[in-house]
Amino acid sequence: MEAKEAEAELQGQADIWKYMFSFADSMAVKCAVELRIADIIDMHGGPITLSQIVAAIPDALSPDINYLTRIMRLLVRRKIFTAHHPSDGDGDTLYGLTHSSRWLLHDSKMSLAPMLLMEDHPWLMAPWHCFSQCVKEGGIAFNKAHGREIWDFASENPEFNNLFNDGMACTARIVMRAIVSVYKDGFGSVGSLVDVGGGTGSAVAEIVKSYPHIRGVNFDLPHVVATAPMYDGVKHVGGDMFQAIPNAEAVFMKWIMHDWSDESCVKILKNCRKAIPEESGKVIIVDVVLQPEGNGLFDDTGLVFDLLMIAHSSGGKERTELEWKKVLEGGGFPRYNIIKIPALLSIIEAYPK
């Protein structure tokens, strides 16, 4: 029994060391993205040596291959890259891509690189250091870190605004591929669709591209739609979802509700209800449905995203199905249906009747 207790105590110590430095994983991956290591390997067409990688790093004035060797050693252990060692022990190790590093390619349509650069930027890391302060005295973590809320910070800081929009756009492409592949019948009967909080419009553009009969409206704050590119079949409208939402047969909201408190979500939903037909209208919410005890592929990430909401939102949170039910009913949507898709998020169809 004493041996088991000693083993458990040692394991506990090892766990704390691991969690203490878990940020090292994200910083190493961020480094790989900034150096475009995955892109360099991909452009070569197969595994290459560290010397070849270093020679192709953009703007590398005096590269240090020893630093890169140590960073790549950890990334190989984390299965971000592969390492092929010569069988005879003579020659250089060749580094290749994995299914994970393919999500770090800058020029791929299905890339998480912009989101990673956004989330791991010092601007967005700073609020995480305010968690204990938030527990002690309440308030908004982003505000404590930067003296203003995230939306005000974005409207005043073009560099941050672009970083944020690029991050949102890349995740929109990934999630929209999953939605369009699974939710075929859901869009078929919709003639007009307004994407509330649609950013620069990439999500609604993807829907309209797959369903050309839909008249799409991309609706977001004026400073956001000001930088939005033109898309066929999509109209950009600036405004405030807490004031009014453009009329359409259906309202689409991807990763919007989790940014807000229950009270704010009820306000948004009430405006959605006014914007859609009483009999045939619906709201399509794409967000996390938390499974705190779940063992699904993304259930653990869902809990992390709930903490992300503390760091970056103005009182937002991820919700369990019961919490969604309460918010939907409060906003005038007594009937709903949850549809699983191959992604971190789920589709929640909500109806006024």
Side-chain angles (χ1 to χ4, degrees):
M1 197 63 188
E2 282 183 14
K4 278 191 175 181
E5 182 65 26
E7 186 182 343
E9 193 173 313
L10 197 61
Q11 180 62 55
Q13 182 194 152
D15 288 343
I16 296 302
W17 280 111
K18 182 176 77 172
Y19 299 135
M20 188 189 307
F21 292 112
S22 59
F23 69 87
D25 290 346
S26 57
M27 291 300 104
V29 176
K30 182 191 178 193
C31 170
V33 170
E34 289 175 333
L35 297 177
R36 293 181 172 258
I37 291 172
D39 301 87
I40 290 167
I41 297 170
D42 186 58
M43 284 168 61
H44 189 271
I48 55 176
T49 66
L50 280 183
S51 297
Q52 289 173 299
I53 292 172
V54 164
I57 291 173
D59 306 317
L61 300 177
S62 53
D64 191 315
I65 198 166
N66 291 320
Y67 284 152
L68 185 60
T69 303
R70 291 151 68 184
I71 291 164
M72 289 297 282
R73 184 166 57 192
L74 179 67
L75 291 174
V76 167
R77 187 173 176 88
R78 296 292 182 263
K79 297 181 171 56
I80 304 297
F81 296 102
T82 60
H84 306 274
H85 303 290
S87 55
D88 59 1
D90 191 25
D92 293 327
T93 300
L94 298 175
Y95 294 88
L97 299 178
T98 65
H99 286 295
S100 296
S101 47
R102 290 195 177 279
W103 288 95
L104 303 178
L105 294 168
H106 284 78
D107 298 327
S108 169
K109 283 187 177 180
M110 296 295 119
S111 174
L112 278 167
M115 182 69 164
L116 190 141
L117 292 174
M118 177 191 111
E119 292 295 349
D120 288 344
H121 192 284
W123 282 329
L124 285 166
M125 293 295 289
W128 289 87
H129 294 279
C130 301
F131 275 22
S132 57
Q133 202 180 339
C134 287
V135 171
K136 288 178 187 176
E137 59 193 35
I140 295 166
F142 197 93
N143 203 325
K144 291 179 189 297
H146 296 292
R148 57 186 67 75
E149 293 185 29
I150 191 167
W151 315 117
D152 296 325
F153 192 76
S155 67
E156 298 165 9
N157 185 330
E159 188 184 345
F160 176 77
N161 191 47
N162 291 335
L163 186 75
F164 187 86
N165 287 341
D166 288 347
M168 293 298 99
C170 88
T171 55
R173 284 190 291 273
I174 292 165
V175 173
M176 288 315 304
R177 183 174 71 167
I179 291 169
V180 169
S181 69
V182 171
Y183 194 59
K184 294 185 174 73
D185 298 336
F187 293 120
S189 60
V190 174
S192 58
L193 181 80
V194 56
D195 184 358
V196 173
T200 53
S202 57
V204 69
E206 196 65 34
I207 295 170
V208 171
K209 186 179 171 185
S210 299
Y211 300 88
H213 70 278
I214 294 177
R215 284 177 288 109
V217 175
N218 176 52
F219 180 67
D220 212 312
L221 294 168
H223 76 269
V224 176
V225 297
T227 63
M230 298 306 295
Y231 295 105
D232 289 339
V234 175
K235 179 183 176 184
H236 297 294
V237 177
D240 184 347
M241 63 188 171
F242 290 105
Q243 299 299 321
I245 288 168
N247 291 336
E249 290 178 22
V251 172
F252 182 80
M253 289 188 288
K254 179 187 67 63
W255 251 342
I256 299 301
M257 303 287 275
H258 75 164
D259 285 326
W260 302 98
S261 66
D262 289 351
E263 295 75 22
S264 294
C265 285
V266 167
K267 283 183 189 175
I268 296 167
L269 285 166
K270 284 180 176 176
N271 284 339
C272 289
R273 204 169 189 273
K274 291 174 189 172
I276 60 174
E278 182 75 19
E279 297 298 327
S280 59
K282 66 178 174 180
V283 171
I284 305 159
I285 297 166
V286 182
D287 237 314
V288 170
V289 178
L290 276 184
Q291 302 275 357
E293 309 298 328
N295 295 313
L297 202 56
F298 296 106
D299 286 340
D300 197 62
T301 308
L303 294 175
V304 173
F305 259 82
D306 189 36
L307 298 191
L308 187 70
M309 292 303 98
I310 298 175
H312 298 162
S313 73
S314 306
K317 62 180 180 179
E318 304 298 356
R319 294 172 171 89
T320 63
E321 183 176 345
L322 280 176
E323 288 171 321
W324 276 115
K325 185 173 185 288
K326 181 183 173 185
V327 165
L328 290 168
E329 286 176 351
F333 292 87
R335 191 162 62 90
Y336 70 91
N337 179 35
I338 295 176
I339 301 165
K340 296 276 189 184
I341 60 173
L344 171 64
L345 313 179
S346 296
I347 296 171
I348 306 167
E349 288 180 317
Y351 303 90
K353 286 193 173 181

